[in-house]
Amino acid sequence: MVGKIGIIGGGNIGGVCAAEIASRRLARRVALVDVKPPEFARGKCLDIAEGTPVIGTDTVLEGSKGYEVLAGADFVINTAGVPRAMRADGTFPSREELLATNLRITDAVAAGIRQYCPDAFVVSIANPLDAIVYRLHQQLKDRLPVRKLMGMAGVLDSARYKYFVAQAAGVSVENVEAVVLGGHGDTMVPIRSACRIYGLPVTKFIDEDELAAIEDRVRKAGGEVVSLLGSGSAFVSPAWSALEMITSIAFDKKKITSVCAHLDGEYGVTGLFVGVPAILGREGVEKIIEIDLSDEERTALANSVAAVSRTCAEVDKVGK
Ligand code: APR
């Protein structure tokens, strides 16, 4: 069991994270920070805490507007930031359009982590995902090693790919292996050559046209949920995905997991955080796994990395 997990941002994703940590008995303590008045974080925690006798868990939940509750956290999940939401005309912004607002919030998040829990593993979910992780690194690099800082996107993007493939093939989601590489945006790259059903190539089960449609749906899956919900964006699946990463690290499972990780030459990329498969264990991101790609997949990944790089260049312009 983990000692303490801190959650920054107690909205939709943060709330599911807190409730799930308690119901799974993943940590002894949960600390939730949210600046929303009047005492939103305390309210969220009290709601969950009052349910703990029902599910028989002794997880202690503490909510606050201030970051001091994070002191002693072993892990921090960052969900602070505005989500995508549908506009009155039925359109919705790209994740990149959230950058200006969420960068300001991220700087406050980084300051809070630095002051109260600089030794924690940090899993960030706020969008635009890859650029926000890059910003956290900029602000914390003298204190937080890159192996302990990661973004949650690949677990979710791969899960969406697995789900659509399982539906189309009429098999259990547990039979499907799938990988999505690149940035957590519309340029993300579902890797068909690594998609397997019961160890067999996915093309044995689903024809190429249907697979192409599935992969397009994967790239746009976040937007599909935004447009169906009408307000806000996906929150249960992102929360579960972040906890999957924490579980692998906390229990030193060494599970190969898609994660937005710092690259130092892998996949020909240096100095950016991009979605790749990595072994997650007690050291955090222990090893990046490089998988063989087709020419088409390599080009698509380069395109996605270029998109991440452009958004990070916007981050650089803002300065510290
Ligand atoms: N410190 C702590 N919490 C903050 C701060 C801050 N500086 N600024 C904003 N928050 C809180 C908000 O008050 C809000 O309750 O972050 C919470 C975000 O919750 P939601 O608006 O419900 O958004 P959610 O759906 O949880 O998504 C959070 O993750 O997937 C991404 O695009 C999504 O960037 C968004 C983030």
Side-chain angles (χ1 to χ4, degrees):
M1 191 187 247
V2 178
K4 180 167 175 176
I5 300 180
I7 303 169
I8 307 179
N12 281 339
I13 298 175
V16 174
C17 285
E20 282 286 311
I21 291 166
S23 74
R24 297 181 191 189
R25 299 161 181 81
L26 183 56
R28 181 76 183 99
R29 306 180 76 84
V30 171
L32 184 68
V33 180
D34 200 303
V35 293
K36 193 168 165 180
E39 290 289 347
F40 184 71
R42 281 177 56 199
K44 273 265 161 140
C45 286
L46 185 60
D47 176 27
I48 299 166
E50 288 171 353
T52 54
V54 180
I55 59 170
T57 176
D58 285 306
T59 297
V60 175
L61 297 114
E62 186 181 8
S64 172
K65 276 183 183 161
Y67 284 73
E68 69 287 342
V69 283
L70 297 177
D74 305 290
F75 290 87
V76 166
I77 304 172
N78 172 36
T79 78
V82 293
R84 293 198 286 174
M86 206 147 87
R87 303 181 182 113
D89 63 2
T91 62
F92 52 85
S94 69
R95 296 180 179 92
E96 287 69 23
E97 287 174 75
L98 307 176
L99 183 66
T101 307
N102 285 353
L103 259 192
R104 282 194 301 276
I105 294 172
T106 303
D107 286 350
V109 166
I113 292 171
R114 174 183 291 282
Q115 187 169 359
Y116 294 107
C117 54
D119 295 320
F121 291 92
V122 177
V123 176
S124 188
I125 308 182
N127 275 313
L129 191 287
D130 316 272
I132 294 295
V133 179
Y134 178 81
R135 180 58 159 198
L136 287 171
H137 174 59
Q138 267 186 348
Q139 301 289 42
L140 293 167
K141 64 181 161 213
D142 58 311
R143 198 62 185 79
L144 183 66
V146 287
R147 66 182 168 77
K148 295 182 81 171
L149 170 63
M150 61 211 88
M152 186 301 297
V155 178
L156 174 58
D157 298 328
S158 306
R160 286 170 167 159
Y161 194 10
K162 288 175 194 172
Y163 175 68
F164 299 148
V165 163
Q167 290 277 298
V171 301
S172 165
V173 293
E174 291 181 87
N175 285 140
V176 184
E177 273 292 329
V179 180
V180 177
L181 297 183
H184 183 55
D186 297 345
T187 59
M188 68 179 75
V189 191
I191 304 297
R192 189 182 302 183
S193 60
C195 189
R196 295 272 188 281
I197 296 178
Y198 197 62
L200 302 167
V202 67
T203 44
K204 267 191 169 301
F205 296 80
I206 304 173
D207 69 42
E208 307 253 337
D209 287 348
E210 196 175 0
L211 273 172
I214 286 172
E215 288 151 9
D216 193 46
R217 190 175 175 198
V218 170
R219 281 187 285 270
K220 297 174 183 158
E224 184 181 357
V225 175
V226 171
S227 58
L228 289 168
L229 288 177
S231 68
S233 55
F235 57 98
V236 175
S237 50
W240 285 350
S241 300
L243 298 187
E244 162 80 359
M245 294 165 66
I246 289 177
T247 302
S248 189
I249 296 169
F251 296 99
D252 194 25
K253 288 178 69 168
K254 315 275 190 207
K255 191 162 179 181
I256 299 176
T257 309
S258 293
V259 42
C260 174
H262 186 265
L263 297 185
D264 189 16
E266 299 90 347
Y267 292 94
V269 179
T270 300
L272 291 176
F273 288 79
V274 175
V276 290
I279 295 177
L280 293 186
R282 75 157 77 85
E283 301 295 324
V285 178
E286 296 190 347
K287 185 175 172 22
I288 302 224
I289 307 295
E290 293 200 64
I291 53 178
D292 295 335
L293 302 175
S294 67
D295 289 346
E296 204 179 323
E297 288 162 350
R298 200 169 303 112
T299 304
L301 179 59
N303 181 37
S304 184
V305 169
V308 172
S309 177
R310 279 194 296 277
T311 316
C312 291
E314 295 299 313
V315 174
D316 289 340
K317 278 188 207 157
V318 175
K320 282 185 111 184

